[in-house]
mmCIF file with all atom_site columns, all heavy atoms in Angstrom:
data_model
loop_
_atom_site.group_PDB
_atom_site.id
_atom_site.type_symbol
_atom_site.label_atom_id
_atom_site.label_alt_id
_atom_site.label_comp_id
_atom_site.label_asym_id
_atom_site.label_entity_id
_atom_site.label_seq_id
_atom_site.pdbx_PDB_ins_code
_atom_site.Cartn_x
_atom_site.Cartn_y
_atom_site.Cartn_z
_atom_site.occupancy
_atom_site.B_iso_or_equiv
_atom_site.pdbx_formal_charge
_atom_site.auth_seq_id
_atom_site.auth_comp_id
_atom_site.auth_asym_id
_atom_site.auth_atom_id
_atom_site.pdbx_PDB_model_num
ATOM 1   N N   . ALA A 1 2   ? 74.807 133.100 -37.698 1.00 59.00 ? 26  ALA A N   1
ATOM 2   C CA  . ALA A 1 2   ? 76.030 132.361 -37.393 1.00 59.00 ? 26  ALA A CA  1
ATOM 3   C C   . ALA A 1 2   ? 76.574 131.616 -38.610 1.00 59.00 ? 26  ALA A C   1
ATOM 4   O O   . ALA A 1 2   ? 77.783 131.422 -38.744 1.00 59.00 ? 26  ALA A O   1
ATOM 5   C CB  . ALA A 1 2   ? 75.772 131.390 -36.249 1.00 59.00 ? 26  ALA A CB  1
ATOM 6   N N   . GLN A 1 15  ? 90.950 154.322 -32.664 1.00 95.00 ? 39  GLN A N   1
ATOM 7   C CA  . GLN A 1 15  ? 91.228 155.466 -33.527 1.00 95.00 ? 39  GLN A CA  1
ATOM 8   C C   . GLN A 1 15  ? 91.378 156.690 -32.632 1.00 95.00 ? 39  GLN A C   1
ATOM 9   O O   . GLN A 1 15  ? 90.395 157.256 -32.161 1.00 95.00 ? 39  GLN A O   1
ATOM 10  C CB  . GLN A 1 15  ? 90.090 155.670 -34.533 1.00 95.00 ? 39  GLN A CB  1
ATOM 11  C CG  . GLN A 1 15  ? 90.387 156.720 -35.589 1.00 95.00 ? 39  GLN A CG  1
ATOM 12  C CD  . GLN A 1 15  ? 91.464 156.268 -36.563 1.00 95.00 ? 39  GLN A CD  1
ATOM 13  O OE1 . GLN A 1 15  ? 91.275 155.352 -37.343 1.00 95.00 ? 39  GLN A OE1 1
ATOM 14  N NE2 . GLN A 1 15  ? 92.626 156.918 -36.504 1.00 95.00 ? 39  GLN A NE2 1
ATOM 15  N N   . TYR A 1 16  ? 92.635 157.028 -32.364 1.00 94.00 ? 40  TYR A N   1
ATOM 16  C CA  . TYR A 1 16  ? 92.945 158.155 -31.488 1.00 94.00 ? 40  TYR A CA  1
ATOM 17  C C   . TYR A 1 16  ? 93.444 159.324 -32.333 1.00 94.00 ? 40  TYR A C   1
ATOM 18  O O   . TYR A 1 16  ? 94.129 159.142 -33.339 1.00 94.00 ? 40  TYR A O   1
ATOM 19  C CB  . TYR A 1 16  ? 94.020 157.788 -30.467 1.00 94.00 ? 40  TYR A CB  1
ATOM 20  C CG  . TYR A 1 16  ? 93.635 156.697 -29.478 1.00 94.00 ? 40  TYR A CG  1
ATOM 21  C CD1 . TYR A 1 16  ? 94.584 156.168 -28.597 1.00 94.00 ? 40  TYR A CD1 1
ATOM 22  C CD2 . TYR A 1 16  ? 92.334 156.197 -29.401 1.00 94.00 ? 40  TYR A CD2 1
ATOM 23  C CE1 . TYR A 1 16  ? 94.251 155.167 -27.692 1.00 94.00 ? 40  TYR A CE1 1
ATOM 24  C CE2 . TYR A 1 16  ? 91.999 155.202 -28.498 1.00 94.00 ? 40  TYR A CE2 1
ATOM 25  C CZ  . TYR A 1 16  ? 92.963 154.683 -27.643 1.00 94.00 ? 40  TYR A CZ  1
ATOM 26  O OH  . TYR A 1 16  ? 92.623 153.699 -26.747 1.00 94.00 ? 40  TYR A OH  1
ATOM 27  N N   . THR A 1 40  ? 72.050 144.321 -42.915 1.00 97.00 ? 64  THR A N   1
ATOM 28  C CA  . THR A 1 40  ? 72.250 145.734 -42.633 1.00 97.00 ? 64  THR A CA  1
ATOM 29  C C   . THR A 1 40  ? 72.611 145.853 -41.159 1.00 97.00 ? 64  THR A C   1
ATOM 30  O O   . THR A 1 40  ? 71.821 145.479 -40.291 1.00 97.00 ? 64  THR A O   1
ATOM 31  C CB  . THR A 1 40  ? 70.986 146.563 -42.931 1.00 97.00 ? 64  THR A CB  1
ATOM 32  O OG1 . THR A 1 40  ? 70.695 146.479 -44.325 1.00 97.00 ? 64  THR A OG1 1
ATOM 33  C CG2 . THR A 1 40  ? 71.198 148.021 -42.571 1.00 97.00 ? 64  THR A CG2 1
ATOM 34  N N   . GLU A 1 46  ? 74.864 159.231 -30.238 1.00 90.00 ? 70  GLU A N   1
ATOM 35  C CA  . GLU A 1 46  ? 74.744 160.678 -30.375 1.00 90.00 ? 70  GLU A CA  1
ATOM 36  C C   . GLU A 1 46  ? 75.995 161.244 -31.044 1.00 90.00 ? 70  GLU A C   1
ATOM 37  O O   . GLU A 1 46  ? 76.984 160.531 -31.256 1.00 90.00 ? 70  GLU A O   1
ATOM 38  C CB  . GLU A 1 46  ? 74.550 161.313 -28.988 1.00 90.00 ? 70  GLU A CB  1
ATOM 39  C CG  . GLU A 1 46  ? 75.692 161.076 -28.027 1.00 90.00 ? 70  GLU A CG  1
ATOM 40  C CD  . GLU A 1 46  ? 75.353 161.473 -26.603 1.00 90.00 ? 70  GLU A CD  1
ATOM 41  O OE1 . GLU A 1 46  ? 74.298 162.089 -26.382 1.00 90.00 ? 70  GLU A OE1 1
ATOM 42  O OE2 . GLU A 1 46  ? 76.146 161.150 -25.705 1.00 90.00 ? 70  GLU A OE2 1
ATOM 43  N N   . ARG A 1 82  ? 97.339 154.266 -52.300 1.00 80.00 ? 106 ARG A N   1
ATOM 44  C CA  . ARG A 1 82  ? 97.624 154.465 -53.722 1.00 80.00 ? 106 ARG A CA  1
ATOM 45  C C   . ARG A 1 82  ? 98.233 153.238 -54.403 1.00 80.00 ? 106 ARG A C   1
ATOM 46  O O   . ARG A 1 82  ? 98.868 153.351 -55.450 1.00 80.00 ? 106 ARG A O   1
ATOM 47  C CB  . ARG A 1 82  ? 98.544 155.685 -53.923 1.00 80.00 ? 106 ARG A CB  1
ATOM 48  C CG  . ARG A 1 82  ? 97.928 156.976 -53.405 1.00 80.00 ? 106 ARG A CG  1
ATOM 49  C CD  . ARG A 1 82  ? 98.806 158.168 -53.680 1.00 80.00 ? 106 ARG A CD  1
ATOM 50  N NE  . ARG A 1 82  ? 98.203 159.382 -53.166 1.00 80.00 ? 106 ARG A NE  1
ATOM 51  C CZ  . ARG A 1 82  ? 98.763 160.585 -53.251 1.00 80.00 ? 106 ARG A CZ  1
ATOM 52  N NH1 . ARG A 1 82  ? 99.937 160.719 -53.842 1.00 80.00 ? 106 ARG A NH1 1
ATOM 53  N NH2 . ARG A 1 82  ? 98.154 161.650 -52.752 1.00 80.00 ? 106 ARG A NH2 1
ATOM 54  N N   . ASP A 1 99  ? 76.112 164.559 -46.129 1.00 83.00 ? 123 ASP A N   1
ATOM 55  C CA  . ASP A 1 99  ? 75.663 165.826 -46.696 1.00 83.00 ? 123 ASP A CA  1
ATOM 56  C C   . ASP A 1 99  ? 75.589 165.744 -48.220 1.00 83.00 ? 123 ASP A C   1
ATOM 57  O O   . ASP A 1 99  ? 76.628 165.772 -48.892 1.00 83.00 ? 123 ASP A O   1
ATOM 58  C CB  . ASP A 1 99  ? 76.624 166.950 -46.283 1.00 83.00 ? 123 ASP A CB  1
ATOM 59  C CG  . ASP A 1 99  ? 76.093 168.335 -46.620 1.00 83.00 ? 123 ASP A CG  1
ATOM 60  O OD1 . ASP A 1 99  ? 75.146 168.409 -47.425 1.00 83.00 ? 123 ASP A OD1 1
ATOM 61  O OD2 . ASP A 1 99  ? 76.617 169.321 -46.086 1.00 83.00 ? 123 ASP A OD2 1
ATOM 62  N N   . ASP A 1 112 ? 79.172 162.991 -65.070 1.00 96.00 ? 136 ASP A N   1
ATOM 63  C CA  . ASP A 1 112 ? 80.585 162.802 -64.746 1.00 96.00 ? 136 ASP A CA  1
ATOM 64  C C   . ASP A 1 112 ? 80.794 162.435 -63.278 1.00 96.00 ? 136 ASP A C   1
ATOM 65  O O   . ASP A 1 112 ? 81.733 161.720 -62.940 1.00 96.00 ? 136 ASP A O   1
ATOM 66  C CB  . ASP A 1 112 ? 81.372 164.074 -65.098 1.00 96.00 ? 136 ASP A CB  1
ATOM 67  C CG  . ASP A 1 112 ? 81.310 164.389 -66.589 1.00 96.00 ? 136 ASP A CG  1
ATOM 68  O OD1 . ASP A 1 112 ? 81.395 163.436 -67.385 1.00 96.00 ? 136 ASP A OD1 1
ATOM 69  O OD2 . ASP A 1 112 ? 81.156 165.565 -66.950 1.00 96.00 ? 136 ASP A OD2 1
ATOM 70  N N   . ALA A 1 115 ? 79.962 158.743 -63.136 1.00 95.00 ? 139 ALA A N   1
ATOM 71  C CA  . ALA A 1 115 ? 80.904 157.937 -63.927 1.00 95.00 ? 139 ALA A CA  1
ATOM 72  C C   . ALA A 1 115 ? 82.339 158.013 -63.429 1.00 95.00 ? 139 ALA A C   1
ATOM 73  O O   . ALA A 1 115 ? 83.207 157.320 -63.975 1.00 95.00 ? 139 ALA A O   1
ATOM 74  C CB  . ALA A 1 115 ? 80.849 158.372 -65.389 1.00 95.00 ? 139 ALA A CB  1
ATOM 75  N N   . GLY A 1 157 ? 67.563 168.188 -52.237 1.00 90.00 ? 181 GLY A N   1
ATOM 76  C CA  . GLY A 1 157 ? 68.430 167.401 -51.356 1.00 90.00 ? 181 GLY A CA  1
ATOM 77  C C   . GLY A 1 157 ? 68.244 165.911 -51.535 1.00 90.00 ? 181 GLY A C   1
ATOM 78  O O   . GLY A 1 157 ? 69.201 165.142 -51.596 1.00 90.00 ? 181 GLY A O   1
ATOM 79  N N   . LEU A 1 169 ? 77.104 153.033 -56.284 1.00 96.00 ? 193 LEU A N   1
ATOM 80  C CA  . LEU A 1 169 ? 76.762 151.762 -56.925 1.00 96.00 ? 193 LEU A CA  1
ATOM 81  C C   . LEU A 1 169 ? 77.497 151.531 -58.237 1.00 96.00 ? 193 LEU A C   1
ATOM 82  O O   . LEU A 1 169 ? 77.547 150.405 -58.735 1.00 96.00 ? 193 LEU A O   1
ATOM 83  C CB  . LEU A 1 169 ? 75.258 151.713 -57.194 1.00 96.00 ? 193 LEU A CB  1
ATOM 84  C CG  . LEU A 1 169 ? 74.330 151.676 -55.974 1.00 96.00 ? 193 LEU A CG  1
ATOM 85  C CD1 . LEU A 1 169 ? 72.888 151.893 -56.407 1.00 96.00 ? 193 LEU A CD1 1
ATOM 86  C CD2 . LEU A 1 169 ? 74.469 150.349 -55.234 1.00 96.00 ? 193 LEU A CD2 1
ATOM 87  N N   . PRO A 1 181 ? 72.971 158.947 -43.988 1.00 89.00 ? 205 PRO A N   1
ATOM 88  C CA  . PRO A 1 181 ? 72.602 159.384 -45.329 1.00 89.00 ? 205 PRO A CA  1
ATOM 89  C C   . PRO A 1 181 ? 71.280 160.144 -45.426 1.00 89.00 ? 205 PRO A C   1
ATOM 90  O O   . PRO A 1 181 ? 70.970 160.708 -46.464 1.00 89.00 ? 205 PRO A O   1
ATOM 91  C CB  . PRO A 1 181 ? 72.516 158.066 -46.103 1.00 89.00 ? 205 PRO A CB  1
ATOM 92  C CG  . PRO A 1 181 ? 72.102 157.063 -45.072 1.00 89.00 ? 205 PRO A CG  1
ATOM 93  C CD  . PRO A 1 181 ? 72.814 157.489 -43.820 1.00 89.00 ? 205 PRO A CD  1
ATOM 94  N N   . ILE A 1 182 ? 70.494 160.140 -44.341 1.00 86.00 ? 206 ILE A N   1
ATOM 95  C CA  . ILE A 1 182 ? 69.187 160.807 -44.416 1.00 86.00 ? 206 ILE A CA  1
ATOM 96  C C   . ILE A 1 182 ? 69.052 161.953 -43.424 1.00 86.00 ? 206 ILE A C   1
ATOM 97  O O   . ILE A 1 182 ? 68.026 162.638 -43.407 1.00 86.00 ? 206 ILE A O   1
ATOM 98  C CB  . ILE A 1 182 ? 68.042 159.795 -44.183 1.00 86.00 ? 206 ILE A CB  1
ATOM 99  C CG1 . ILE A 1 182 ? 68.193 159.114 -42.819 1.00 86.00 ? 206 ILE A CG1 1
ATOM 100 C CG2 . ILE A 1 182 ? 67.999 158.765 -45.296 1.00 86.00 ? 206 ILE A CG2 1
ATOM 101 C CD1 . ILE A 1 182 ? 67.017 158.248 -42.431 1.00 86.00 ? 206 ILE A CD1 1
ATOM 102 N N   . LEU A 1 197 ? 67.156 152.289 -50.650 1.00 95.00 ? 221 LEU A N   1
ATOM 103 C CA  . LEU A 1 197 ? 68.333 151.528 -50.246 1.00 95.00 ? 221 LEU A CA  1
ATOM 104 C C   . LEU A 1 197 ? 67.984 150.052 -50.009 1.00 95.00 ? 221 LEU A C   1
ATOM 105 O O   . LEU A 1 197 ? 68.747 149.160 -50.385 1.00 95.00 ? 221 LEU A O   1
ATOM 106 C CB  . LEU A 1 197 ? 68.956 152.135 -48.984 1.00 95.00 ? 221 LEU A CB  1
ATOM 107 C CG  . LEU A 1 197 ? 69.695 153.467 -49.158 1.00 95.00 ? 221 LEU A CG  1
ATOM 108 C CD1 . LEU A 1 197 ? 70.027 154.081 -47.802 1.00 95.00 ? 221 LEU A CD1 1
ATOM 109 C CD2 . LEU A 1 197 ? 70.973 153.282 -49.976 1.00 95.00 ? 221 LEU A CD2 1
ATOM 110 N N   . HIS A 1 213 ? 71.928 158.643 -35.900 1.00 87.00 ? 237 HIS A N   1
ATOM 111 C CA  . HIS A 1 213 ? 71.653 158.951 -34.493 1.00 87.00 ? 237 HIS A CA  1
ATOM 112 C C   . HIS A 1 213 ? 70.187 158.720 -34.157 1.00 87.00 ? 237 HIS A C   1
ATOM 113 O O   . HIS A 1 213 ? 69.801 158.737 -33.002 1.00 87.00 ? 237 HIS A O   1
ATOM 114 C CB  . HIS A 1 213 ? 72.035 160.406 -34.174 1.00 87.00 ? 237 HIS A CB  1
ATOM 115 C CG  . HIS A 1 213 ? 71.281 161.420 -34.995 1.00 87.00 ? 237 HIS A CG  1
ATOM 116 N ND1 . HIS A 1 213 ? 71.762 161.904 -36.193 1.00 87.00 ? 237 HIS A ND1 1
ATOM 117 C CD2 . HIS A 1 213 ? 70.080 162.005 -34.804 1.00 87.00 ? 237 HIS A CD2 1
ATOM 118 C CE1 . HIS A 1 213 ? 70.889 162.767 -36.699 1.00 87.00 ? 237 HIS A CE1 1
ATOM 119 N NE2 . HIS A 1 213 ? 69.855 162.833 -35.878 1.00 87.00 ? 237 HIS A NE2 1
ATOM 120 N N   . SER A 1 222 ? 67.633 148.061 -40.080 1.00 95.00 ? 246 SER A N   1
ATOM 121 C CA  . SER A 1 222 ? 68.746 147.198 -39.660 1.00 95.00 ? 246 SER A CA  1
ATOM 122 C C   . SER A 1 222 ? 68.308 145.808 -39.215 1.00 95.00 ? 246 SER A C   1
ATOM 123 O O   . SER A 1 222 ? 67.232 145.624 -38.647 1.00 95.00 ? 246 SER A O   1
ATOM 124 C CB  . SER A 1 222 ? 69.519 147.857 -38.513 1.00 95.00 ? 246 SER A CB  1
ATOM 125 O OG  . SER A 1 222 ? 70.007 149.125 -38.899 1.00 95.00 ? 246 SER A OG  1
ATOM 126 N N   . VAL A 1 234 ? 78.425 149.855 -26.403 1.00 96.00 ? 258 VAL A N   1
ATOM 127 C CA  . VAL A 1 234 ? 77.900 149.503 -25.080 1.00 96.00 ? 258 VAL A CA  1
ATOM 128 C C   . VAL A 1 234 ? 76.823 148.419 -25.154 1.00 96.00 ? 258 VAL A C   1
ATOM 129 O O   . VAL A 1 234 ? 76.514 147.778 -24.148 1.00 96.00 ? 258 VAL A O   1
ATOM 130 C CB  . VAL A 1 234 ? 77.353 150.749 -24.346 1.00 96.00 ? 258 VAL A CB  1
ATOM 131 C CG1 . VAL A 1 234 ? 78.484 151.721 -24.042 1.00 96.00 ? 258 VAL A CG1 1
ATOM 132 C CG2 . VAL A 1 234 ? 76.249 151.428 -25.146 1.00 96.00 ? 258 VAL A CG2 1
ATOM 133 N N   . TYR A 1 250 ? 72.244 153.637 -21.388 1.00 93.00 ? 274 TYR A N   1
ATOM 134 C CA  . TYR A 1 250 ? 72.366 154.591 -22.496 1.00 93.00 ? 274 TYR A CA  1
ATOM 135 C C   . TYR A 1 250 ? 71.394 154.242 -23.616 1.00 93.00 ? 274 TYR A C   1
ATOM 136 O O   . TYR A 1 250 ? 70.748 155.120 -24.202 1.00 93.00 ? 274 TYR A O   1
ATOM 137 C CB  . TYR A 1 250 ? 73.802 154.616 -23.016 1.00 93.00 ? 274 TYR A CB  1
ATOM 138 C CG  . TYR A 1 250 ? 74.003 155.575 -24.167 1.00 93.00 ? 274 TYR A CG  1
ATOM 139 C CD1 . TYR A 1 250 ? 73.865 156.948 -23.985 1.00 93.00 ? 274 TYR A CD1 1
ATOM 140 C CD2 . TYR A 1 250 ? 74.316 155.109 -25.438 1.00 93.00 ? 274 TYR A CD2 1
ATOM 141 C CE1 . TYR A 1 250 ? 74.033 157.836 -25.033 1.00 93.00 ? 274 TYR A CE1 1
ATOM 142 C CE2 . TYR A 1 250 ? 74.493 155.988 -26.495 1.00 93.00 ? 274 TYR A CE2 1
ATOM 143 C CZ  . TYR A 1 250 ? 74.349 157.347 -26.288 1.00 93.00 ? 274 TYR A CZ  1
ATOM 144 O OH  . TYR A 1 250 ? 74.524 158.218 -27.337 1.00 93.00 ? 274 TYR A OH  1
ATOM 145 N N   . ILE A 1 272 ? 64.104 158.975 -20.086 1.00 84.00 ? 296 ILE A N   1
ATOM 146 C CA  . ILE A 1 272 ? 65.098 158.386 -19.183 1.00 84.00 ? 296 ILE A CA  1
ATOM 147 C C   . ILE A 1 272 ? 66.412 159.126 -19.392 1.00 84.00 ? 296 ILE A C   1
ATOM 148 O O   . ILE A 1 272 ? 66.967 159.122 -20.494 1.00 84.00 ? 296 ILE A O   1
ATOM 149 C CB  . ILE A 1 272 ? 65.282 156.886 -19.464 1.00 84.00 ? 296 ILE A CB  1
ATOM 150 C CG1 . ILE A 1 272 ? 63.973 156.133 -19.244 1.00 84.00 ? 296 ILE A CG1 1
ATOM 151 C CG2 . ILE A 1 272 ? 66.398 156.300 -18.602 1.00 84.00 ? 296 ILE A CG2 1
ATOM 152 C CD1 . ILE A 1 272 ? 64.015 154.667 -19.643 1.00 84.00 ? 296 ILE A CD1 1
ATOM 153 N N   . ASN A 1 283 ? 87.194 146.998 -15.249 1.00 91.00 ? 307 ASN A N   1
ATOM 154 C CA  . ASN A 1 283 ? 86.782 145.585 -15.285 1.00 91.00 ? 307 ASN A CA  1
ATOM 155 C C   . ASN A 1 283 ? 85.583 145.345 -16.192 1.00 91.00 ? 307 ASN A C   1
ATOM 156 O O   . ASN A 1 283 ? 85.009 144.256 -16.209 1.00 91.00 ? 307 ASN A O   1
ATOM 157 C CB  . ASN A 1 283 ? 86.474 145.096 -13.863 1.00 91.00 ? 307 ASN A CB  1
ATOM 158 C CG  . ASN A 1 283 ? 85.305 145.844 -13.227 1.00 91.00 ? 307 ASN A CG  1
ATOM 159 O OD1 . ASN A 1 283 ? 84.905 146.909 -13.705 1.00 91.00 ? 307 ASN A OD1 1
ATOM 160 N ND2 . ASN A 1 283 ? 84.767 145.304 -12.147 1.00 91.00 ? 307 ASN A ND2 1
ATOM 161 N N   . HIS A 1 285 ? 83.808 145.078 -20.026 1.00 93.00 ? 309 HIS A N   1
ATOM 162 C CA  . HIS A 1 285 ? 84.113 144.809 -21.424 1.00 93.00 ? 309 HIS A CA  1
ATOM 163 C C   . HIS A 1 285 ? 82.840 144.298 -22.108 1.00 93.00 ? 309 HIS A C   1
ATOM 164 O O   . HIS A 1 285 ? 81.870 143.940 -21.442 1.00 93.00 ? 309 HIS A O   1
ATOM 165 C CB  . HIS A 1 285 ? 85.262 143.798 -21.572 1.00 93.00 ? 309 HIS A CB  1
ATOM 166 C CG  . HIS A 1 285 ? 84.995 142.467 -20.945 1.00 93.00 ? 309 HIS A CG  1
ATOM 167 N ND1 . HIS A 1 285 ? 85.102 142.244 -19.578 1.00 93.00 ? 309 HIS A ND1 1
ATOM 168 C CD2 . HIS A 1 285 ? 84.608 141.280 -21.478 1.00 93.00 ? 309 HIS A CD2 1
ATOM 169 C CE1 . HIS A 1 285 ? 84.809 140.989 -19.309 1.00 93.00 ? 309 HIS A CE1 1
ATOM 170 N NE2 . HIS A 1 285 ? 84.495 140.379 -20.438 1.00 93.00 ? 309 HIS A NE2 1
ATOM 171 N N   . VAL A 1 289 ? 75.716 138.403 -22.948 1.00 94.00 ? 313 VAL A N   1
ATOM 172 C CA  . VAL A 1 289 ? 74.979 138.107 -21.712 1.00 94.00 ? 313 VAL A CA  1
ATOM 173 C C   . VAL A 1 289 ? 73.732 137.265 -21.980 1.00 94.00 ? 313 VAL A C   1
ATOM 174 O O   . VAL A 1 289 ? 73.216 136.605 -21.080 1.00 94.00 ? 313 VAL A O   1
ATOM 175 C CB  . VAL A 1 289 ? 74.605 139.414 -20.980 1.00 94.00 ? 313 VAL A CB  1
ATOM 176 C CG1 . VAL A 1 289 ? 75.851 140.142 -20.524 1.00 94.00 ? 313 VAL A CG1 1
ATOM 177 C CG2 . VAL A 1 289 ? 73.746 140.321 -21.856 1.00 94.00 ? 313 VAL A CG2 1
ATOM 178 N N   . ASP A 1 299 ? 81.848 141.318 -15.078 1.00 92.00 ? 323 ASP A N   1
ATOM 179 C CA  . ASP A 1 299 ? 81.490 139.895 -15.022 1.00 92.00 ? 323 ASP A CA  1
ATOM 180 C C   . ASP A 1 299 ? 80.310 139.630 -14.072 1.00 92.00 ? 323 ASP A C   1
ATOM 181 O O   . ASP A 1 299 ? 79.467 138.763 -14.325 1.00 92.00 ? 323 ASP A O   1
ATOM 182 C CB  . ASP A 1 299 ? 82.694 139.066 -14.587 1.00 92.00 ? 323 ASP A CB  1
ATOM 183 C CG  . ASP A 1 299 ? 83.803 139.067 -15.625 1.00 92.00 ? 323 ASP A CG  1
ATOM 184 O OD1 . ASP A 1 299 ? 83.491 139.399 -16.800 1.00 92.00 ? 323 ASP A OD1 1
ATOM 185 O OD2 . ASP A 1 299 ? 84.962 138.767 -15.286 1.00 92.00 ? 323 ASP A OD2 1
ATOM 186 N N   . GLU A 1 300 ? 80.251 140.391 -12.986 1.00 91.00 ? 324 GLU A N   1
ATOM 187 C CA  . GLU A 1 300 ? 79.182 140.195 -12.006 1.00 91.00 ? 324 GLU A CA  1
ATOM 188 C C   . GLU A 1 300 ? 77.826 140.549 -12.622 1.00 91.00 ? 324 GLU A C   1
ATOM 189 O O   . GLU A 1 300 ? 76.839 139.829 -12.454 1.00 91.00 ? 324 GLU A O   1
ATOM 190 C CB  . GLU A 1 300 ? 79.439 141.071 -10.773 1.00 91.00 ? 324 GLU A CB  1
ATOM 191 C CG  . GLU A 1 300 ? 78.412 140.868 -9.653  1.00 91.00 ? 324 GLU A CG  1
ATOM 192 C CD  . GLU A 1 300 ? 78.718 141.732 -8.439  1.00 91.00 ? 324 GLU A CD  1
ATOM 193 O OE1 . GLU A 1 300 ? 79.827 142.315 -8.368  1.00 91.00 ? 324 GLU A OE1 1
ATOM 194 O OE2 . GLU A 1 300 ? 77.833 141.836 -7.578  1.00 91.00 ? 324 GLU A OE2 1
#
Side-chain angles (χ1 to χ4, degrees):
Q39 188 69 67
Y40 297 172
T64 297
E70 61 191 351
R106 300 183 180 179
D123 190 344
D136 298 320
L193 294 169
I206 58 172
L221 287 169
H237 60 268
S246 302
V258 295
Y274 180 66
I296 299 174
N307 63 344
H309 60 282
V313 296
D323 293 341
E324 184 179 348

